[in-house]
C-alpha cells in the first residue's frame, strides 16, 4: 500500500490523465486536497481542466504518437474517457509505466461487442445480444426485435444508441459495426460504482437509481439510495465486485443494471472510470467517487462508501435549440435552498444536451429530496444568451 | 442580488484576491464549482494558489504600486489576509472598484488597537485594554497585569502575542506599538463566522469551540458544535451579527470569543475573511465558509449554515525542530477511517508551526469525533524528510 507522504511534490509519481472534461475537473478538485499533481491531455484548448491541471497539453488522445509523447515523462497514466489510443497505452505499459485501468481492460470495455462477450463468457447476467456489421445485418435479425442497437465504439453520452421496436424502426439503426441487444422490459435502471486497488482491496458504493431522459438517453435524475430491496442491493454490489475482479482491474468501475419486471438484475453496461451516476457522492458519501478513484489508481487505502445523507442528482444539460454563450436560468433560486449544491463544469459554450453541470439535492428524507429536485428541473435551464 | 449566470466567463466580474495561501486555495477549490475565476497576488511564487488561480501574479501585497497594478483590470478585490496595502485599496475604491471587505474596515481590523477601540466604542463586550508604544510603556502598566500583550499590526498565526502574568514576564513583552489586554480567566474559547452581502442579508454559522496549543498559540482542535448552552449560542451569534452590521461590512467575518468563568462572552478578536475556525464547514455544514465568502462578496444569496453532522478539526502544523521537504507521518492510517477528511495545502516545505493542512473528523456523535481526533493528533505528524 502506498502513502500520501510518498506523494509530496518532489517524490510523487507523475500522473497523467487522457481527457480533460468534467470528470477530470472533479478529479483535480479532489486531488488538490491531497497535494496530488494531475497532468492532462485533451484536444480542446478550453477543456474544463485546462486552467487547473498541473500541466495541460492540447492534443489528440486517440493519436498514437501524441499519447506516447504525453506518457513519456509520466509514471502513472489513466483515462477519464474510454475512447483513447489503446496501442499507445500498451506500449507505455511495456515501458514500465503503470496504466490504470489497464489497457487490455480498456480494449474490452470501449468495444461494446467485446464488453458483451466478456459479460456472457463470465456468466454475468445480461440481455442476449448479437453482433452486427451494418444495417443489412440488422435487417436479417428482425426476429430478434425489439432490441437496442448500439454502435460498438465511440458512442458516448447517449449518442450511438437506438431502440428498434420493430422492423419499422430499421431506418434508425446504425449502418456500422454494432450490437443488437434484446429489449427486455425493466422497472428500474440501477448503477453501482466499485473500486479496486493494487492490493486487491475492493469497495462498492450503495446502489443508485437512474431516471433517463427518453429523448436524449442521458441520465436526468439520480436517486441515492435506490428504492430497492436489501437483497437486490446485495446482489448488485456482489456482481459489481465480481466484474472488477474478473477483469483484474485497478481503478474505478461503474456497473449499470436493468432491474427486470421479474426482479432480475441484468448488467447493461460498464464504464472503467468515474461516472455520471456517482456525482452525488461528492456531498452524500463519506468518500466521493473522485477520491475513491484517486485512492484506487494510487494504491492508497480505499475510503468508506457509506452514505452521509440521501441525495438526488440532476444533470444540467444544454436545452435543445440553444447553442452559444451559456446562461443558466434559475440558478440563483436554487442556491438559496438548503441542501442544494451547484456544480458547473467551466464550459462557456452550451449546445443541445451538452453536460454543463449538475446539482445535488441532499436531504434526510429522499422523498423530499426528490420533490425539491423535480421542482428544480422545471426552473433551472441551461440556455444560450 | 446578483446571479451565477452573470458570472459566466465573458461577462463575469474580474475578481482579484490579495494573498494566495491556504485560504485562497480553498476559496478557489470552491469557486471552481461555480465557474468563478479568481486572480491572485502573492509574494511567494510557490504559494498554495500558484497553480490553480485563473492567473497568479507574484508581488508584494503590502506595496502600494504593486497592489494598484494588480487591481487595475479587476472589478472586485478582496483579501485572504489583513496585512495588505490599504492605501492602494482605497485608491482603487475611489476608482470605482468594489472592495470587500471595505478598506476602512481592513484599516480598523488590521490594527489591534483600532480594533479594540471599535469594539469598546460600540459597546461590544471585550476585556479592558490599554494602548502601549513600547516595552517602557508596558513597565508603567504593571498594575494592569496579568495581561496579554499583542503587537498592533503584523501579528499572525499565533505570532505577536505574549502573556504577561506579572512584572517577571516583562522580558517577553514586545518593544513595539501594541495593546495590553486584561487577562480574564475563561472556560472556553469560541468562534462564530458571520457573512453579510450587499443586500444586507446576514447568516451565522453555529458557534464552534477552539482548543489552542499553549506554546504555539495556534488552534489545535476545533469542535462543532460547541459544548455550550443555547443561550450562549444565541448571544454569540447575535453579537457577531451586530459587529458585522456596525462595521457595515460585506464579506465574511470571524468573531472569536472568550467564555468567562461567570458565563460572560467577551470578544477576543475579529478577522474579516475565511478563518481557521471554519474549515470543518467544508464537510460538516450545508454551505462551507468558502462558499459563503464567495456569496457574500459577489452579492449572491447566502447559503444555509445548518450543520449536516458534528465534526472536529485538527490543524496539521509543522513539528518543532523540523524544517525542509515535508513528510506527513500516519496519514495513511488516518485516511482509512470513515469520516476522516484530509486537506493538504500544497506546501512542499515544512517549518515549525507552519500550517500544512488540516483534518476534519465527521461523526454523528461529537464525543466519538473527539476521541478519533485526539488519537489522530498522536499519530499524524508533519515532519521533514
Amino acid at each position: 500500500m502506498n502513502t500520501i507522504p510518498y506523494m509530496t511534490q518532489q517524490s510523487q509519481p507523475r500522473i497523467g490523465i487522457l481527457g480533460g472534461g468534467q470528470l477530470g475537473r472533479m478529479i483535480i478538485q479532489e486531488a488538490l486536497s491531497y497535494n496530488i499533481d494531475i497532468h492532462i491531455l485533451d484536444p480542446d484548448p478550453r477543456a474544463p481542466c485546462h486552467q487547473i491541471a498541473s500541466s495541460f497539453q492540447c492534443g489528440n488522445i486517440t493519436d498514437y504518437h501524441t499519447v506516447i509523447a504525453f506518457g513519456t515523462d509520466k509514471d502513472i497514466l489513466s483515462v477519464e474517457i474510454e475512447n483513447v489510443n489503446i496501442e499507445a497505452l500498451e506500449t507505455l505499459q511495456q515501458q514500465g509505466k503503470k496504466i490504470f485501468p489497464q489497457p487490455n481492460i480498456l480494449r474490452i470495455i470501449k468495444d461494446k461487442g467485446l464488453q458483451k462477450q466478456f459479460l456472457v463468457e463470465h456468466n454475468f447476467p445480461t440481455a442476449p445480444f448479437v453482433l452486427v456489421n451494418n444495417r443489412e445485418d440488422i435487417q436479417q435479425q428482425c426476429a430478434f426485435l425489439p432490441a437496442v442497437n448500439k454502435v460498438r465504439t465511440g458512442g458516448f453520452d447517449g449518442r450511438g444508441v437506438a431502440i428498434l421496436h420493430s422492423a419499422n424502426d430499421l431506418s434508425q439503426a446504425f449502418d456500422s459495426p454494432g450490437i443488437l441487444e434484446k429489449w427486455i422490459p425493466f422497472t428500474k435502471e440501477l448503477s453501482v460504482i466499485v473500486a479496486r486497488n493494487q492490493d486487491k482491496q475492493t469497495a462498492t458504493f450503495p446502489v443508485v437509481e437512474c431516471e433517463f431522459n427518453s429523448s436524449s438517453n442521458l441520465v436526468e435524475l439520480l436517486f441515492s439510495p435506490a428504492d430497492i430491496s436489501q437483497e437486490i442491493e446485495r446482489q448488485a454490489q456482489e456482481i459489481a465486485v465480481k466484474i472488477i475482479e474478473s477483469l483484474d482491474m485497478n481503478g474505478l468501475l461503474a456497473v449499470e443494471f436493468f432491474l427486470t419486471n421479474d426482479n432480475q438484475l441484468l448488467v447493461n453496461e460498464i464504464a472503467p472510470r468515474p461516472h455520471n451516476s456517482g456525482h452525488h457522492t461528492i456531498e452524500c458519501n463519506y468518500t466521493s467517487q473522485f477520491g475513491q478513484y484517486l485512492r484506487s489508481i494510487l494504491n492508497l487505502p480505499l475510503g468508506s462508501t457509506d452514505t452521509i445523507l440521501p441525495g438526488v442528482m440532476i444533470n444540467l444539460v444544454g436545452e435543445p435549440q440553444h447553442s452559444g454563450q451559456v446562461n443558466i436560468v434559475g440558478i440563483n433560486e436554487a442556491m438559496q435552498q438548503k441542501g442544494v449544491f451547484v456544480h458547473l463544469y467551466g464550459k462557456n459554450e452550451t449546445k443541445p444536451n451538452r453536460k454543463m453541470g449538475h446539482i445535488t439535492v441532499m436531504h434526510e428524507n429522499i422523498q423530499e429530496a426528490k420533490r425539491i429536485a423535480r421542482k428544480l428541473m422545471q426552473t433551472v435551464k441551461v440556455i444560450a444568451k
Side-chain angles (χ1 to χ4, degrees), chain A:
Chain A
M1 192 81 76
N2 294 323
T3 62
I4 282 278
Y6 117 106
M7 290 188 292
T8 52
Q9 210 78 8
Q10 273 80 19
S11 61
Q12 80 161 260
R14 283 178 66 84
I15 304 163
I17 296 182
L18 305 183
Q22 62 266 16
L23 299 176
R25 184 175 168 99
M26 289 185 272
I27 290 167
I28 293 173
Q29 277 179 280
E30 180 78 25
L32 286 170
S33 295
Y34 296 123
N35 287 1
I36 297 173
D37 285 347
I38 303 280
H39 304 271
I40 295 283
L41 176 67
D42 192 282
D44 177 2
R46 298 190 63 80
C49 291
H50 86 279
Q51 215 163 46
I52 57 171
S54 297
S55 75
F56 180 85
Q57 191 182 320
C58 193
N60 187 348
I61 57 178
T62 62
D63 177 70
Y64 179 85
H65 296 289
T66 306
V67 173
I68 291 285
F70 175 72
T72 298
D73 67 348
K74 307 298 183 297
D75 304 301
I76 297 177
L77 285 150
S78 187
V79 301
E80 56 111 61
I81 183 169
E82 294 89 313
N83 195 18
V84 299
N85 190 290
I86 290 170
E87 292 72 25
L89 292 179
E90 283 167 339
T91 302
L92 290 164
Q93 191 180 39
Q94 283 154 20
Q95 291 171 4
K97 315 285 186 192
K98 292 180 176 172
I99 321 282
F100 302 126
Q102 298 92 321
N104 64 313
I105 298 167
L106 285 172
R107 191 178 283 287
I108 293 169
I109 294 179
K110 101 181 244 198
D111 178 330
K112 285 181 182 157
L114 296 180
Q115 189 186 124
K116 282 293 276 192
Q117 283 176 332
F118 166 83
L119 292 171
V120 169
E121 280 165 15
H122 289 77
N123 294 314
F124 292 111
T126 190
F129 80 106
V130 287
L131 294 176
V132 291
N133 286 314
N134 47 41
R135 194 175 289 153
E136 206 182 309
D137 269 8
I138 297 172
Q139 279 174 329
Q140 306 300 318
Q141 298 283 355
C142 274
F144 201 75
L145 304 186
V148 183
N149 178 210
K150 296 177 183 172
V151 294
R152 283 184 72 153
T153 57
F156 198 66
D157 274 357
R159 293 187 294 272
V161 177
I163 299 173
L164 311 179
H165 299 92
S166 70
N168 294 335
D169 294 335
L170 278 175
S171 62
Q172 290 165 49
F174 298 100
D175 195 17
S176 56
I179 62 170
L180 267 189
E181 201 172 13
K182 197 85 183 165
W183 173 260
I184 293 177
F186 58 85
T187 55
K188 286 183 191 297
E189 296 196 55
L190 307 174
S191 175
V192 176
I193 293 175
V194 58
R196 185 166 175 267
N197 63 18
Q198 287 163 268
D199 285 1
K200 305 188 178 185
Q201 187 189 8
T202 61
T204 53
F205 283 92
V207 181
V208 300
E209 191 176 337
C210 305
E211 201 172 274
F212 281 74
N213 180 303
S214 54
S215 70
S216 70
N217 271 321
L218 285 174
V219 176
E220 199 160 62
L221 278 178
L222 173 142
F223 313 126
S224 170
D227 182 17
I228 53 172
S229 68
Q230 279 188 12
E231 176 55 21
I232 294 295
E233 175 91 22
R234 191 194 62 72
Q235 283 179 26
Q237 295 199 355
E238 187 179 290
I239 292 169
V241 170
K242 281 189 179 162
I243 292 176
I244 202 168
E245 287 178 343
S246 298
L247 289 166
D248 195 16
M249 173 180 157
N250 300 132
L252 199 71
L253 183 78
V255 181
E256 295 180 275
F257 294 94
F258 297 118
L259 184 64
T260 66
N261 294 351
D262 57 346
N263 236 18
Q264 300 298 308
L265 285 168
L266 295 178
V267 177
N268 174 18
E269 284 188 15
I270 60 179
R273 51 168 170 78
H275 193 253
N276 199 170
S277 65
H279 293 349
H280 65 288
T281 58
I282 296 171
E283 287 89 12
C284 295
N285 294 70
Y286 282 94
T287 305
S288 82
Q289 69 163 340
F290 302 101
Q292 198 77 310
Y293 161 82
L294 287 169
R295 290 166 184 245
S296 68
I297 68 165
L298 296 171
N299 202 27
L300 294 167
L302 299 181
S304 165
T305 58
D306 284 4
T307 297
I308 296 169
L309 284 181
V312 174
M313 188 215 60
I314 310 164
N315 267 334
L316 293 178
V317 301
E319 288 288 308
Q321 290 151 353
H322 279 266
S323 291
Q325 209 188 319
V326 67
N327 179 15
I328 305 176
V329 173
I331 202 81
N332 217 23
E333 292 70 24
M335 286 181 69
Q336 295 183 44
Q337 293 182 61
K338 173 176 162 180
V340 172
F341 298 87
V342 171
H343 294 262
L344 304 180
Y345 299 155
K347 299 177 183 177
N348 304 324
E349 300 281 324
T350 184
K351 283 184 271 192
N353 291 323
R354 188 177 194 199
K355 289 181 178 170
M356 302 298 290
H358 74 266
I359 293 177
T360 298
V361 180
M362 189 163 92
H363 201 285
E364 289 113 1
N365 181 334
I366 181 77
Q367 298 307 331
E368 184 60 16
K370 286 182 185 179
R371 194 192 62 75
I372 295 168
R374 291 200 190 278
K375 209 170 155 197
L376 288 175
M377 276 182 65
Q378 302 305 316
T379 54
V380 181
K381 299 282 176 196
V382 182
I383 61 172
K385 276 188 179 159

